[in-house]
Amino acid sequence: MTDTYLKAAARAGFEPMVVAAGEDGRKLAGLAGLAAKIGLRGRVYPLAMQARTHGPDDVEVAARTQQLIGQSVPRWHFNMLRDEPRNAAFDAAIRRAVTPGTHVLDIGAGSGLLSMMAARAGAGRVVACEENPAIADMARQIVATNGFAERVRVVTGNSTELDVESDLEGRADVIVSEIVSNNLLAEGVLKTLADAATRLLAPGGQMIPAGGDVMIALGSWSAAEEHRMTMVAGFDLGGFNALTQVPRNVAVSDATLTLQSDPAALLSFDFTGEAAREPHHGAATLVAQGGPIGGIVQWIRLQLDEVVDYENRPGPDAKSHWGAQYYPFDVPLELAAGTAVRVVGVHDGHQLLVWRENAGATELPSPSGEGLGVGL
């Protein structure tokens, strides 16, 4: 009997088990754990909360449900909320956009931080849209704790499912979002913001951020060499390096990561209109500063408004919860200063792939769906 069959059988009989559990907190906690194992993700948090309601003083229920709820919240949320340069940049842009009475929509609201910034800046009403139910519930508590419950309303769900009238009570004057990833794209930002700009934003309204760039430079990351397989227990395991995941994530403040060319925008996006046709190509020419170059470094830049850009460009003093992405060459390039290197990027709206164009190539490679998965 296969694991797939067992999971299907468990899913088929799951709701009757929930009914049979009644108000037994431990049984409900156990079912929340089972839901996680058999792929019923949407049932995990509601059952965990039911278990807590019916077993408020049961320490076992508390422990089991805390583990399940914690697993549903990506760890990067915590680093993101402590990212002071990011927070300051968004706060400044929000203060410029919001006037008394402004109607604001916050997409991917998380803890409600940007929503509360908007309310503090004078927004008349804010709708905070967050699709993770555990995070949305906590955002409601945080908003109330900070005294903004009358002006900030948290809606659980995806912004693409929002109804303009019943959920928003009319289109928003300002839409603020922070749903970008290390490669800018992985959280579905293009389609989400295209829907928001064309369907949820009032005429003449403002998107924050208004656009974004995928930035690149030639570089080297010496610490990456420490993780390469060489001799192990007397055996040469160098061949295993061909299985290394690419790109590799690296902290922008890593002292062993160095840029060896001026940066360039490989791909640029306008968040204020319809999404670009997918998949999409971009290319840029980088000029080497000389010496051995290990690969291509990629990071992001956001145009928050006409005044402020936010960029997590790598450097020893850089501070960002977003990491840089490192695409190593198979063999470091020995390049004289002034040598031009053509770099190509292709994306499908979620995944990004970057490579060095072959010398003498005259056309960009075709972005087939199969090719996008290679090296990601």
Side-chain angles (χ1 to χ4, degrees), residues 310-367:
Y310 170 89
E311 184 174 356
N312 67 328
R313 177 175 175 169
D317 297 322
K319 295 180 180 180
S320 177
H321 76 284
W322 284 296
Q325 304 284 284
Y326 184 66
Y327 291 82
F329 299 142
D330 291 337
V331 177
L333 302 179
E334 288 284 350
L335 298 177
T339 302
V341 178
R342 187 73 168 170
V343 176
V344 175
V346 62
H347 75 90
D348 64 355
H350 294 272
Q351 293 180 306
L352 172 69
L353 188 61
V354 176
W355 64 86
R356 178 175 63 94
E357 190 176 50
N358 290 332
T362 58
E363 295 183 357
L364 296 175
S366 174

Side-chain angles (χ1 to χ4, degrees), residues 145-236:
T145 297
N146 286 275
F148 292 111
E150 291 186 1
R151 282 190 288 153
V152 178
R153 178 166 57 89
V154 180
V155 175
T156 305
N158 190 288
S159 66
T160 59
E161 299 171 353
L162 288 176
D163 182 85
V164 174
E165 297 306 325
S166 61
D167 291 320
L168 294 186
E169 299 178 0
R171 295 190 177 196
D173 303 311
V174 174
I175 295 179
V176 61
S177 66
E178 199 280 72
I179 53 173
V180 299
S181 58
N182 293 338
N183 71 2
L184 192 73
L185 304 168
E187 293 187 42
V189 62
L190 297 184
K191 290 184 177 179
T192 297
L193 295 188
D195 171 74
T198 57
R199 191 174 65 88
L200 306 176
L201 186 66
Q206 182 174 345
M207 299 285 289
I208 301 174
D213 302 305
V214 173
M215 304 297 296
I216 58 168
L218 299 176
S220 290
W221 182 24
S222 60
E225 293 302 312
E226 299 175 4
H227 300 286
R228 290 182 61 83
M229 301 298 296
T230 53
M231 298 297 294
V232 177
F235 302 99
D236 183 356

Side-chain angles (χ1 to χ4, degrees), residues 79-88 310 319-322:
N79 289 332
M80 177 185 69
L81 293 172
R82 289 190 289 262
D83 189 334
E84 294 182 2
R86 180 206 80 122
N87 296 342
Y310 170 89
K319 295 180 180 180
S320 177
H321 76 284
W322 284 296

